[in-house]
């Protein structure tokens, strides 16, 4: 059917259906949205005056089963579907797709793409570190509207590209580098961060502070001009554990030495991100450790006192107050527990093959090309452009870069330097930095990129490129097989982690940490709970995706993946260690299961000091059900906690809800929030706020009562479709890089209905989205 005929047919259908729809609206909507009352300034008593935007809102409210509200007469399923069908038809015709045809790579996609384009290992060097962090205020970091560019950002892209290329093509001379052995002179090692606690001598160097303190061998970096595998040998010991009347940090257990890699020059990095390995040292006994590390060009090794005191002076003053140390200790050299390094040797670089992966990948050739040969240069530039732009490149496009290459050679008299500059120019172009999605239906190359960035957050691999080139990728069977392949690849963990971070707001974890000075929350820092919390939820999401389990397990399950620190927090039996995350089955007494029982969610939805049913209730509505409440009116005062403890949170909220302007929203928000009051600000289960105040967790969900979070989850599982549909929408928006529009929602309904037949299994949902028109069309 031709488009004009289709639109005429749809409009005729709409006109014929209005008479039938008016009674439905009258029966279920106009009591609150009619001539006499217009809740939310919405009026629905005249079908002819409802615009497309409102019809889309009506559709969303019906599909999420938010409207009609609980306590009101509910439509039969056929009536609900009739209203939804009409709303979708009007909105689809009157609200055409306005999706942008270009989307910039976000920071993490850029890092992955540069690494894959240049064959760089995922080591310390990070191409994305040299560009501004994306400021995503709404939606996902894949959303085109939020990924703007500026002159400053473009300059950073060019700088990052050149740094990355110099990592990949690290030598002008194509000969294999010779491995060296460097016995580092201990007296040449320096200290960073609290030099007063670092004591060098001729045959050893001692470090007594932790935190950001480190000892490093920057002068040894000359021996590491080429990136590669290096063998590190270090001899160290723990010393001075008992020099004072009381034990200083660490009071118990072994002293731990950390090994890391630090960028040279003025560059810096997070201490935690740079640590590669840790070693437990014996007291007053030298131990020699030998290990292999990949060291990028421009980086050099350092050592730390991982569990040492960040500020020893604080412990000294505390010891004086307790009478354990004389007051004169403040002016004397600190001789508390320390790491002593007495030997350090570096050997390398070693390569498993030559040319190394970075040369072979960047040049897309088995051997390093002879850049003095004009034909070799043309083939090299042409191959690189095709991979960088992720599509065929025309002769006219290449001619521009050939001219640029010749100009750079005229300046440098060095073809290797000229090629690096030319490749950097390509990587700073729109063709590299943006995904092109022009036309209504994506071509094979654009489809390959959309799939790859959806599931791998990087450029297509050789197989996807080949299928795009042949056109076979557009064939349904081939497309489905590729989606299965991409999901089975370890790179699919990038989707799992980045989507779950943003869907569940895990990327906000740690922005409001608990008070480090409070004895109630010291465990949060002592046990490094923040990283453990994040790891649990990442593993949980990956398990459900990889094993194609039902999304109902996001609401409730009897298992998770935890380490010993989380086991202590959850009070469940556990046989593993701190660094071991293993699957455990929760006993009913643990009060865990599903996302709402995980401490990551319970911590990010608190403020580090106390909890709020409103904040947690909004999190459930927004992140799980996809029905965020409107923001509170400006004139309504914020809820102030009763610091004297005379009133419970529920009592304060009951008073707050008595305001008519607050009641409608809080009726929906508060129940889930009250259920989650069973957990404190770091997710520990509780039955009391204080000795005098008990936690009240009962409420109603869609008109049905529950006693606690277990009851809430059971009710949510009886109406799983709205949650599953919301998840389909969120995954599709992440994949498409834009908010869904009315024309997309028919496909959403089809995927939701189809997945319901197999209990809404997650990998099935992802696969159906990936092969649907949501992906094949702009």
């Amino acid at each position: 059917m031709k488009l004009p005929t289709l639109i005429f047919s749809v409009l005729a259908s709409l006109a014929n259906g209005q008479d039938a729809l008016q009674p439905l609206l009258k029966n279920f909507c106009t009591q609150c949205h009619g001539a006499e009352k217009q809740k939310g300034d919405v009026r629905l008593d005249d079908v002819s005056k409802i615009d497309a935007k409102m019809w889309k809102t009506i559709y969303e409210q019906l599909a999420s089963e938010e409207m009609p509200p609980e306590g009101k007469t509910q439509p039969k399923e056929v009536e609900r579907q009739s209203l939804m069908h009409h709303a979708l038809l009007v909105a689809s015709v009157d609200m055409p797709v306005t999706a942008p045809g270009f989307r910039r790579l976000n920071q993490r996609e850029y890092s992955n793409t540069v690494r894959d384009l240049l064959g760089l290992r995922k080591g310390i060097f990070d191409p994305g570190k040299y560009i501004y962090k994306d400021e995503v205020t709404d939606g996902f970091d894949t959303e085109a509207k939020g990924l703007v560019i500026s002159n400053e950002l473009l300059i950073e892209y060019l700088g990052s590209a050149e740094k990355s290329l110099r990592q990949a093509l690290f030598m002008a001379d194509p000969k294999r580098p010779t491995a060296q052995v460097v016995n580092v002179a201990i007296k040449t090692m320096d200290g960073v961060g609290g030099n007063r606690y670092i004591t060098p001598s001729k045959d050893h160097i001692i470090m007594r502070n932790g935190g950001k303190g480190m000892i490093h061998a920057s002068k040894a970096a000359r021996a590491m001009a080429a990136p590669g595998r290096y063998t590190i040998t270090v001899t160290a010991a723990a010393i001075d554990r008992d020099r004072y009347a009381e034990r200083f940090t660490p009071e118990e257990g072994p002293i731990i030495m950390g090994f890391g890699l630090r960028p040279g020059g003025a560059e810096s990095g997070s201490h935690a991100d740079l640590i590669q390995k840790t070693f437990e040292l014996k007291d007053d006994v030298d131990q020699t450790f030998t290990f292999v590390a990949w060291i990028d060009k421009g980086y050099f090794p350092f050592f730390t006192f991982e569990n040492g005191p960040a500020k020893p002076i604080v412990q000294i003053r505390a010891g004086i107050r307790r009478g354990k140390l004389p007051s004169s200790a403040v002016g004397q050299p600190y001789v508390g527990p320390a790491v002593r390094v007495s030997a350090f040797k570096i050997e390398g670089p070693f390569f498993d093959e030559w040319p190394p992966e970075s040369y072979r990948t960047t040049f897309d050739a088995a051997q390093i090309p002879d850049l003095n040969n004009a034909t070799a240069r043309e083939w090299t530039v042409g191959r690189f452009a095709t991979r960088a732009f992720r599509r065929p490149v025309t002769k006219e496009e290449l001619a521009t870069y050939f001219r640029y290459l010749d100009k750079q050679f005229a300046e440098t008299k060095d073809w290797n330097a000229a090629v690096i500059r030319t490749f950097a120019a390509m990587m700073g172009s729109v063709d590299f930095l943006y995904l092109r999605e022009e036309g209504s239906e994506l071509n094979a190359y654009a489809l390959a990129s959309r799939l790859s960035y959806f599931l791998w957050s990087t450029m297509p691999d050789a197989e996807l490129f080949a299928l795009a080139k042949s056109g076979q990728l557009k064939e349904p069977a081939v497309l489905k097989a590729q989606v299965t392949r991409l999901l089975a690849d370890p790179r699919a963990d990038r989707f799992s982690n980045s989507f779950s971070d943003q869907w569940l707001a895990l990327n906000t974890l740690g922005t409001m940490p608990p008070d480090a000075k409070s004895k109630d929350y010291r465990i949060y820092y002592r046990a490094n709970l923040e990283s453990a919390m994040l790891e649990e939820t990442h593993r949980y999401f990956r398990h459900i995706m990889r094993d194609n389990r039902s999304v109902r397990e996001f609401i409730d399950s009897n298992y998770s993946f935890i380490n010993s620190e989380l086991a202590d927090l959850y009070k469940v039996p556990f046989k593993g260690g701190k660094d071991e995350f293993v699957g455990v089955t929760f006993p009913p007494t643990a009060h865990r299961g599903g996302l709402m029982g995980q401490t990551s969610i319970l911590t990010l939805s608190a403020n580090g000091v106390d909890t709020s049913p409103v904040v947690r209730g909004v999190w459930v509505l927004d992140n799980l059900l996809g029905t965020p409440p409107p923001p509170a009116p400006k004139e309504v005062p914020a809820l102030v906690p009763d610091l004297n403890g005379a009133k419970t949170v529920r009592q304060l909220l009951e008073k707050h809800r008595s305001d008519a302007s607050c009641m409608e929203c809080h009726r929906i928000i508060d129940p889930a929030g009250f259920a989650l009051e069973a957990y404190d600000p770091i997710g520990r289960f509780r039955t009391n706020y204080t000795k005098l105040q008990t936690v009240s967790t009962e409420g109603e969900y869609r008109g049905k009562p529950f006693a606690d979070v277990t009851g809430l989850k059971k009710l949510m599982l009886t109406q799983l479709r709205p949650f599953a549909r919301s998840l389909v929408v969120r995954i599709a928006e992440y994949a498409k890089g834009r908010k869904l529009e009315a024309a997309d929602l028919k496909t959403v309904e089809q995927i939701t209905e189809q997945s319901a037949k197999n209990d809404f299994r997650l990998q099935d949902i992802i696969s159906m989205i990936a092969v649907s028109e949501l992906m094949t069309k702009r």
Side-chain angles (χ1 to χ4, degrees), residues 386-559:
T386 299
R387 293 180 62 246
F389 298 166
R390 303 175 289 274
R391 60 172 175 80
V393 184
T394 66
K395 290 182 179 180
E396 291 75 18
E397 288 175 305
L398 286 176
T400 301
Y401 289 106
F402 289 147
R403 289 193 294 270
Y404 185 79
L405 175 66
D406 291 339
K407 181 180 178 181
Q408 296 308 308
F409 178 74
E411 291 181 8
T412 63
K413 307 303 180 186
D414 181 345
W415 282 117
N416 190 67
V419 164
I420 286 177
R421 290 186 180 182
T422 303
F423 285 1
M426 291 180 179
M427 293 167 65
S429 71
V430 170
D431 296 283
F432 175 76
L433 295 175
Y434 280 76
L435 299 177
R436 286 175 176 259
E437 297 179 346
E438 300 169 295
S440 174
E441 182 146 351
L442 301 188
N443 64 40
Y445 287 99
L447 179 58
S449 286
R450 180 178 271 189
L451 277 177
S452 188
Y453 281 97
F454 169 25
L455 297 175
W456 286 355
S457 297
T458 191
M459 63 188 288
D461 65 355
E463 185 170 333
L464 272 176
F465 269 131
L467 291 171
K469 184 177 181 179
S470 69
Q472 291 178 283
L473 187 60
K474 301 277 285 182
E475 298 173 9
V478 174
L479 178 59
K480 186 175 182 180
Q482 284 301 300
V483 170
T484 301
R485 180 178 73 88
L486 266 62
L487 282 169
D489 191 281
R491 283 169 286 189
D493 286 352
R494 295 172 181 171
F495 161 75
S496 174
N497 290 346
S498 61
F499 175 76
S500 59
D501 278 350
Q502 297 175 76
W503 170 45
L504 301 172
L506 295 173
N507 48 9
T508 67
L509 184 63
T511 56
M512 297 185 73
D515 183 4
K517 296 180 181 179
S518 170
K519 64 179 182 179
D520 292 333
Y521 303 117
R522 286 175 188 166
I523 187 176
Y524 182 86
Y525 300 95
R526 187 173 65 248
N528 193 23
L529 283 180
E530 189 176 306
S531 62
M533 293 171 178
L534 190 62
E535 184 67 18
E536 177 191 10
T537 307
H538 279 169
R539 287 178 180 250
Y540 188 76
F541 186 98
R542 287 201 300 267
H543 171 73
I544 291 175
M545 184 182 80
R546 286 174 178 171
D547 286 17
N548 197 23
R549 301 179 74 88
S550 172
V551 301
R552 68 172 57 251
E553 294 184 9
F554 287 131
I555 303 297
D556 197 15
S557 68
N558 66 346
Y559 70 90

Side-chain angles (χ1 to χ4, degrees), residues 550-557 701 710-721 723:
S550 172
V551 301
R552 68 172 57 251
E553 294 184 9
F554 287 131
I555 303 297
D556 197 15
S557 68
Y701 179 74
T710 301
L712 171 65
K713 289 188 286 189
K714 287 180 179 178
L715 290 177
M716 291 177 72
L717 288 175
T718 63
Q719 301 179 62
L720 189 61
R721 190 185 185 284
F723 166 71

Side-chain angles (χ1 to χ4, degrees), residues 57-68 80 83-84:
T57 301
I58 292 171
Y59 166 81
E60 293 282 1
Q61 292 291 312
L62 290 165
S64 64
E65 299 181 14
E66 287 296 303
M67 291 292 169
R80 184 183 293 273
L83 277 168
M84 287 171 58

Side-chain angles (χ1 to χ4, degrees), residues 110 114 118 125-131 151-167 267 420-421 423-425 427-429 433:
Y110 174 81
V114 171
L118 306 182
F125 179 78
D126 179 8
K129 185 181 74 173
Y130 302 99
I131 60 175
N151 290 336
E152 292 81 4
L153 184 56
L154 185 56
I155 291 171
E156 290 195 331
Y157 274 127
L158 290 169
S160 173
E162 188 158 340
K163 287 183 177 72
S164 301
L165 283 158
R166 294 191 185 282
Q167 281 285 341
E267 299 172 10
I420 286 177
R421 290 186 180 182
F423 285 1
M427 293 167 65
S429 71
L433 295 175

Side-chain angles (χ1 to χ4, degrees), residues 613-614 617 621 653-654 657 665-675:
V614 177
L621 291 178
L653 267 174
E654 290 293 345
R657 290 173 65 173
C665 286
H666 279 279
R667 176 182 60 81
I668 302 169
I669 295 171
D670 295 349
F674 281 132

